[in-house]
């Protein structure tokens, strides 16, 4: 399983970007996808993700500004980021968990895409 993320770039504060992540390789059974980010000098944190009941979960810092979506095949996930702020600057990573049962999920990571927000 490989994840390919794209869509990062440089944007001014208040601007928007849309990140995309596509899965290739063997995909079957249960799958959950989401986005994480890691700013310089900080730990990787959850930004947004789909949960087991197909609802969505967001970090408090991005609620109302970011929207996660996915395709009907659950092989691609997107992150629409609006009203970006300098504190959103980070490398954004696509994440996928999949497996035959909830207790045997394997986690995969994309290569990361850099988002830089200038003030």
């Amino acid at each position: 399983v490989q994840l390919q993320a794209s869509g990062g770039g440089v944007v001014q504060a208040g601007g928007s970007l849309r990140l995309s992540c596509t899965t290739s390789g063997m995909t079957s059974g249960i799958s959950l996808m989401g986005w994480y980010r890691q700013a310089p000098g900080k730990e990787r944190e959850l930004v947004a993700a789909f949960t087991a009941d197909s609802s969505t979960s967001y970090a408090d810092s991005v609620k109302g500004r970011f929207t996660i979506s996915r395709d009907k095949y659950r092989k691609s996930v997107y992150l629409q980021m609006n009203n970006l702020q300098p504190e959103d600057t980070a490398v954004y990573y696509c994440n996928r968990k999949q497996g035959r049962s909830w207790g045997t999920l394997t986690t995969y990571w994309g290569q990361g895409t850099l988002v830089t927000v200038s003030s």
Side-chain angles (χ1 to χ4, degrees):
V1 174
Q2 290 187 325
L3 304 177
Q4 182 67 45
S6 62
V10 180
V11 64
Q12 289 187 334
S16 299
L17 285 174
R18 177 178 165 89
L19 305 183
S20 300
C21 176
T22 300
T23 307
S24 61
M26 180 66 70
T27 58
S28 62
I30 298 167
S31 65
L32 296 171
M33 295 189 75
W35 291 94
Y36 288 69
R37 69 185 180 186
Q38 187 166 17
K42 295 188 176 181
E43 294 187 353
R44 191 172 298 187
E45 64 175 358
L46 173 69
V47 177
F50 285 95
T51 63
D53 62 357
S54 295
S55 63
T56 53
S57 177
Y58 293 92
D60 288 343
S61 59
V62 307
K63 284 181 180 177
R65 301 187 297 122
F66 292 11
T67 303
I68 189 171
S69 61
R70 63 188 176 190
D71 69 333
K72 64 179 181 179
Y73 302 108
R74 301 190 180 189
K75 296 188 69 173
S76 294
V77 66
Y78 310 95
L79 187 67
Q80 178 65 43
M81 305 185 294
N82 298 327
N83 191 22
L84 283 159
Q85 300 300 314
E87 52 266 33
D88 296 316
T89 295
V91 177
Y92 284 71
Y93 295 92
C94 176
N95 171 279
R96 182 180 180 92
K97 301 178 179 67
Q98 73 175 44
R100 294 187 175 184
S101 65
W102 290 110
T104 61
L105 298 181
T106 300
T107 299
Y108 301 90
W109 292 95
Q111 84 283 12
T113 184
L114 178 62
V115 172
T116 302
V117 184
S118 61
S119 58

